[in-house]
Structures are given as C-alpha cells and as structure tokens.
Amino acid sequence: MPTVQHADSPGISMSVSALRPWCAIAAVAAAPLVLAILEIFHPHPHDLFDLDVRRWMFVHYAQVPLFPLAALSVAMLVRGRRDWAAWLCKAGMFVFAVAFTSFDTAAGLVIGLLVKGALASGDPESWRDMIDALWFDPVLGGQGFTDAPMMGLIGRLSLSFGAVAGAISLKRAGHGWMPVLLLALASFGINVFKSHSWPGGPLTFGGMAVAAGWIRWESLRRQARAVAALEAPAATEAVRSPSRVGLR
C-alpha cells in the first residue's frame, strides 16, 4: 500500500519553504514580464484599415489590467519604505497606471472597435474621418499631431519618474547598484522609442521585471541572513545547556 504523506510531514514542509521565495519574486516580476512578452505582439499601425483587428483587440484588452499591475509591482518594492523617494515612486506609478490605461483604452480599444465596425460596414472610408478624429486627438489619440498625445506622454514620463524615485529609495535601503540602475534605466525605453510596442515596451517592462525580481531576491537573502544571525546564539545556547546539566 502506498504511504500517504501528511501536510505536516518534513518533505512537504521543505517544498513549501522552497516555493515561498519564488512566489515572492513572482509577485513583483510576473506582471511586467507578461506585459513585456505581450508587447512583442503589439501591431505597428500604418494604415488603420490594414490592422489585424483580432490581434489588436486581444493585446489591448490584456493591457487594461497589466499596466496597473506592472505599476503595482514597482510600488510593492518600496511598500515598507517611508522616505520621500518611496512616496514619489508610489505617486509616479499611480499616475502612470491611471494615465496610460486611459490613453490605451481610447487609442487602443475604442479605435479597434471603430475599425472593426468600419470594415464590417462594407464602406470603411465613410468611417475614416471619425476614426482619424480620435486617432489624431492631442489628448487621447494613438498618434497625436505631435506624435506625443498628452495622456500617453504623462503616463510614460510618470513611469520613468516613479522608477527613478524607487531606485533612489531602494539604494538608500542598501540594495546593490546593478538592480536599482536597471530599474531606473529600463523605464526610459518607452520614452526613447515613444511607443509601448516593440522595441520600447518589451525593453522597458522586461528590464523592469528582471530588476524587480533581482531586488526582491536581494531582500529575501538579507532577511534569511538576519534570521540566521538571530538563531545562531539560540542554537549555541541549546548545545551548551545539556553539557551544563551533565556537570551538576
């Protein structure tokens, strides 16, 4: 008969303990990593009527939760911090989540639905003026007259602002230069390329995912060292106690 391993058995306890660090790392790295992969498939529109509408809509529906979750991932890195840089990081990530989700809903989902309706109508050209009015809108448009619609620009700048502030706070907390620099520098990819499609989005959110996982791993390692340092004197005392009892 096969033996049943109870939940409190050493084997299961060890496997759960091994999983906890990976769960903590995934909590801050998963959303930006998934977003980075998604942005690889983001269509590059030239003529909107030539869009792959199904792929366009799938990407933009997925982005609605992923942008706020990616912002939350960075904010979680400074959750326990109370310095000015941590507060600025949280504020920047909040503005990014609100502004960029609003921008992407209008310039992505609404545009996609209009293009879908235009193609289904059999007379797409009659829809062009209405679609262009939104696509070239200076506030919520996908293109904008200056190639920088206001809500998209606010969102992109807020992401970089919040990431740099977070990097400052995390460095002051004792984290290494490499992960905090990666967090700050990766956030500028979306501004350099002025787009969250390839290559700006994947470089930005992929780099931030690696940085977030690296920073969380550093925190876990420091916590483990601190616990080991506290347990060492107790273990030493436990070894000495039986010897003292034997000498009486």
Side-chain angles (χ1 to χ4, degrees):
M1 293 286 292
T3 58
V4 178
Q5 195 172 31
H6 295 285
D8 57 351
S9 63
I12 290 182
S13 298
M14 289 178 64
S15 63
V16 171
S17 298
L19 282 174
R20 283 174 183 165
W22 291 108
C23 291
I25 291 170
V28 296
L33 181 59
V34 172
L35 183 56
I37 295 171
L38 179 72
E39 300 297 10
I40 296 174
F41 303 98
H42 192 298
H44 289 258
H46 299 291
D47 185 343
L48 290 173
F49 289 149
D50 291 334
L51 274 179
D52 180 344
V53 178
R54 181 173 295 181
R55 183 167 62 140
W56 176 272
M57 295 301 293
F58 173 80
V59 168
H60 285 87
Y61 275 126
Q63 286 175 165
V64 171
L66 285 174
F67 283 135
L69 287 174
L72 180 62
S73 296
V74 178
M76 286 175 63
L77 296 175
V78 296
R79 181 177 55 181
R81 302 281 297 158
R82 295 292 181 268
D83 60 332
W84 59 268
W87 287 110
L88 290 178
C89 173
K90 295 170 188 176
M93 290 301 139
F94 175 78
V95 174
F96 163 73
V98 172
F100 220 74
T101 303
S102 301
F103 152 72
D104 204 63
T105 299
L109 292 177
V110 177
I111 286 289
L113 290 172
L114 289 173
V115 171
K116 183 178 179 181
L119 295 175
S121 72
D123 184 18
E125 287 301 323
S126 65
W127 293 61
R128 187 176 290 276
D129 289 343
M130 178 173 54
I131 293 172
D132 284 349
L134 176 57
W135 185 245
F136 292 102
D137 183 79
V139 178
L140 288 170
Q143 187 69 30
F145 289 110
T146 62
D147 199 30
M150 186 179 298
M151 292 300 285
L153 180 62
I154 291 172
R156 297 199 317 254
L157 293 176
S158 297
L159 178 68
S160 296
F161 176 84
V164 170
I168 293 172
S169 178
L170 291 165
K171 183 61 190 144
R172 294 178 67 185
H175 285 278
W177 276 109
M178 292 297 290
V180 298
L181 276 177
L182 178 59
L183 178 67
L185 292 176
S187 69
F188 285 94
I190 200 171
N191 284 297
V192 171
F193 294 99
K194 297 182 181 180
S195 173
H196 55 281
S197 58
W198 173 264
L203 291 177
T204 293
F205 298 111
M208 293 178 74
V210 173
W214 192 345
I215 289 166
R216 179 53 58 89
W217 175 75
E218 280 191 345
S219 297
L220 293 171
R221 189 174 61 172
R222 289 165 62 184
Q223 290 172 10
R225 283 201 295 253
V227 170
L230 290 173
E231 291 177 347
T236 304
E237 184 63 26
V239 170
R240 290 176 178 173
S241 296
S243 301
R244 291 174 181 173
V245 172
L247 290 173
R248 289 178 182 177

